[in-house]
Amino acid sequence: MAYSVGWGLERGPLATKCDTAREALALAEEHLAAQRTQVVVTDLTTSEPVPIDTLRELAEEEAGEKKL
């Protein structure tokens, strides 16, 4: 799955594209740590927003799959 991560007015395809939930989570957390408001993560397959908690779960699932 692919995601876009942006903040403020950078949304959807205009934001940074990430190929995995783990990459998207890392970038979203960087934006949050920099106190940027309105961090937006979008699933590029469905064009739906992804809440940060859901993104964390998806990233954990990906990490578990890599260990197998």
Side-chain angles (χ1 to χ4, degrees):
M1 228 182 270
Y3 303 90
S4 71
V5 179
W7 61 277
L9 297 177
E10 295 177 5
R11 296 181 184 186
L14 299 177
T16 303
K17 182 180 180 237
C18 299
D19 293 324
T20 67
R22 292 168 62 184
E23 292 174 11
L25 179 61
L27 184 55
E29 288 179 338
E30 284 180 29
H31 287 316
L32 292 170
Q35 298 181 347
R36 294 183 176 129
T37 59
Q38 298 177 341
V39 174
V40 179
V41 179
T42 305
D43 179 334
L44 292 177
T45 304
T46 63
S47 298
E48 294 292 323
V50 180
I52 194 78
D53 290 335
T54 301
L55 188 60
R56 284 187 180 105
E57 291 173 13
L58 293 168
E60 286 177 16
E61 288 175 14
E62 283 180 2
E65 290 174 5
K66 300 281 182 189
K67 292 179 183 176
L68 296 177

